[in-house]
Amino acid sequence: MPETFWTAAGSAEVAFSIGLTLRVMALAVPLFFVLGVPLGYLLGRGRGRFVALVDVAVSLPLVLPPMAVGFFLLLLLGRNAPIGGVLRETLGVELIFGFPGLVIAAVVAGLPLMVRPVQAAVRGDLLRLIELSSVLGKSAPTTFVRVVLPHCRKSVAAGMFLATGRALGEVGVSLLLGGDIVGRTNTVSLEIYNAVFSGQFARAGFLAALLAGVSLVLTLLLKRTGRG
Amino acid sequence: MLTACLVRRLPHFTLEADIVCPAGKILVLTGPSGSGKTTLLRLIAGLDTPHQGRVALGETVWCDTDRGIAVPVRRRGIGLVFQDASLFPHLTLARNVAYAAADPALVTELLGLFGISHLADAYPATMSGGERQRGALCQALARRPRALLLDEPFSALDAATRLALCGELLRVRELFAIPIIHVTHDLAEAARLGDTIVAVNNGRLDPDWFEAQLDLHLREQQVLLARRGIIEAVPNLCGAGPWSGNRESTRPRQSS
């Protein structure tokens, strides 16, 4: 019996890809915050060649085709690559063709969209407010928590929504770093790709509709931040 | 007493200043735009670093380049009010003032002192310019500062509000008895507030600048009065420098 839209929703493969995507995002979203806010602050306030270099590195995934980004990461993180090889030999950690590869792919794809709004928000009046806080006797960490973060909260939220949406739809980097191994690394986006190429259009339709729904919610939330 | 003897090389000139402000007095720093007034204030506050010099409040040395002393701005115990962005936009007025003061009673007292208690729950964006600057003064005073530094705090306000705030600042001088350094390019404000008026011109203290500008200002006023027919004429205004003429000749005629 052919798979319908609703039977696709109940299939074990679909449930697995949704669960896997949720697990990837459960790690990637906090990483957007932990990496994106300091990076946005550094790139917005910092100067010099190092900052320019970091800026280029963070922005590259926005302009490079995802397949090219994935390939370059594979050259760095692969089993015998400079970083991947060292990690495998010293810590026994395999980054590619597994869960860590999917998380890295999601973070690399979403991070530029998290960093940009924060970078824009920390320019302008914020320097004066940081100075004011220090004049009022507050330390740098206190100022960061009580002034910088609240000042940038809408931009941080906008960045989180944009980065999450981008990471959810990520295919190219995930394909190369995760390997699209069915039952192991097939996230929702990759499962749509697999379903289309195996003629399971109902499954592809259900998962695409699911992603569209989530994206719609993220877009509405983005609009509410006033930064969308 | 706040003393500062500082040198800082800037892109277009070198700022060199030696100033003294006793407790309970207002020292007005005035001068043309871009002359180094704000930079001098920032050096005193510790927001910028001098290439050479010393800043001290009484026996406490905040900065001494020869001895390698540089007390961080947050440990200097100063109050500072900027021209703008002097309140945190994400906090209500009461929370802004409480940011600097641990004592809630002091917050209430200061808001009452400046007549803005009714705005305690308002956000800065919903307040007028004068209310915001009153709030900024409350915030600066809430940590019981040992010196108060004001960087053109009233320059964006209308004349009436500026006048009212000048009166409140004079009251602060009496109540807190701390050195107050006030930066302004408004001559009337400088004359109204300053126990001492120091002009900074092109990075140097210029003892003649303020008087010269006052003369120029008076001549401009006389042109307006002459236009209105209140005085008869303003001789020698064109051609000669505004401060080189005979003051007697420009006085209004006495009606007989």
Side-chain angles (χ1 to χ4, degrees), chain B residues 2-185:
Chain B
L2 178 63
T3 58
C5 179
L6 298 162
V7 176
R8 184 172 166 95
R9 289 179 292 279
L10 299 171
H12 300 297
F13 55 79
T14 297
L15 174 66
E16 290 180 52
D18 187 353
I19 58 170
V20 176
C21 181
K25 300 287 182 193
I26 298 177
L27 182 143
V28 168
L29 279 178
T30 189
S33 298
S35 60
K37 307 183 293 290
T38 294
T39 305
L40 179 54
L41 200 76
R42 291 176 62 85
L43 291 171
I44 294 168
L47 292 170
D48 288 332
T49 313
H51 290 117
Q52 199 183 332
R54 184 177 187 275
V55 182
L57 182 75
E59 298 299 312
T60 311
V61 178
W62 284 344
C63 170
D64 190 336
T65 51
D66 291 341
R67 292 161 60 196
I69 298 172
V71 176
V73 58
R74 70 189 177 91
R75 297 221 178 99
R76 294 194 181 192
I78 54 168
L80 178 59
V81 177
F82 294 108
Q83 180 183 343
D84 46 22
S86 276
L87 291 173
F88 300 111
H90 61 284
L91 299 178
T92 62
L93 177 61
R95 283 181 178 273
N96 258 289
V97 180
Y99 189 86
D103 180 6
L106 181 61
V107 175
T108 311
E109 188 185 329
L110 281 167
L111 293 178
L113 185 69
F114 284 88
I116 47 175
S117 301
H118 60 291
L119 297 169
D121 295 326
Y123 284 90
T126 64
M127 293 156 57
S128 70
E131 289 165 347
R132 274 201 294 271
Q133 290 310 74
R134 282 186 178 92
L137 274 170
C138 284
Q139 189 190 52
L141 293 168
R143 71 178 309 213
R144 300 187 192 280
R146 292 187 281 168
L148 184 61
L149 310 178
L150 308 166
D151 185 12
E152 303 198 37
F154 310 147
S155 63
L157 306 177
D158 62 82
T161 310
R162 204 158 55 216
L163 195 63
L165 276 164
C166 281
E168 287 173 26
L169 186 57
L170 290 171
R171 202 150 52 101
V172 166
R173 179 187 65 178
E174 304 308 321
L175 286 173
F176 286 80
I178 53 175
I180 299 174
I181 300 181
H182 180 92
V183 172
T184 182
H185 58 261

Side-chain angles (χ1 to χ4, degrees), chain A residues 2-153:
Chain A
E3 196 176 50
T4 64
F5 190 87
W6 297 114
T7 54
S11 79
E13 292 89 346
V14 166
F16 173 80
S17 66
I18 293 172
L20 177 64
T21 302
L22 287 175
R23 282 191 290 134
V24 169
M25 297 314 293
L27 268 180
V29 171
L31 282 173
F32 289 145
F33 184 83
V34 171
L35 298 175
V37 174
L39 265 175
Y41 186 79
L42 172 78
L43 299 182
R45 298 236 62 94
R47 287 189 185 140
R49 284 184 189 168
F50 174 72
V51 172
L53 199 68
V54 174
D55 199 358
V56 169
V58 170
S59 307
L60 266 181
L62 279 181
V63 287
L64 269 182
M67 284 293 183
V69 175
F71 177 70
F72 288 131
L73 286 174
L74 205 55
L75 292 180
L76 282 174
L77 307 174
R79 283 181 183 141
N80 299 313
I83 297 173
V86 170
L87 284 174
R88 191 166 67 103
E89 282 169 22
T90 55
L91 302 173
V93 175
E94 288 265 2
L95 292 180
I96 58 161
F97 304 141
F99 185 73
L102 293 175
V103 176
I104 292 169
V107 171
V108 166
L111 197 60
L113 295 173
M114 175 72 210
V115 168
R116 288 289 166 210
V118 178
Q119 197 177 348
V122 299
R123 291 178 177 142
D125 276 352
L126 184 63
L127 175 62
R128 189 55 62 84
L129 298 176
I130 291 169
E131 286 182 345
L132 183 64
S133 179
S134 59
V135 166
L136 294 172
K138 299 295 184 268
S139 65
T142 304
T143 299
F144 189 78
V145 173
R146 294 184 63 182
V147 176
V148 177
L149 281 183
H151 184 79
C152 303
R153 67 189 190 282

Side-chain angles (χ1 to χ4, degrees), chain A residues 21 24-25 61 64-71 73-74 97 101-110 163-181 185-197 207-208 211:
Chain A
T21 302
V24 169
M25 297 314 293
L64 269 182
M67 284 293 183
V69 175
F71 177 70
L73 286 174
L74 205 55
F97 304 141
L102 293 175
V103 176
I104 292 169
V107 171
V108 166
T164 303
R166 174 75 186 83
L168 273 174
E170 168 48 41
V171 171
V173 188
S174 301
L175 191 63
L176 286 172
L177 291 189
D180 191 16
I181 304 164
T185 60
N186 53 326
T187 57
V188 169
S189 297
L190 290 173
E191 187 57 23
I192 294 172
Y193 175 83
N194 295 337
V196 170
F197 279 91
L207 290 172
L211 279 189

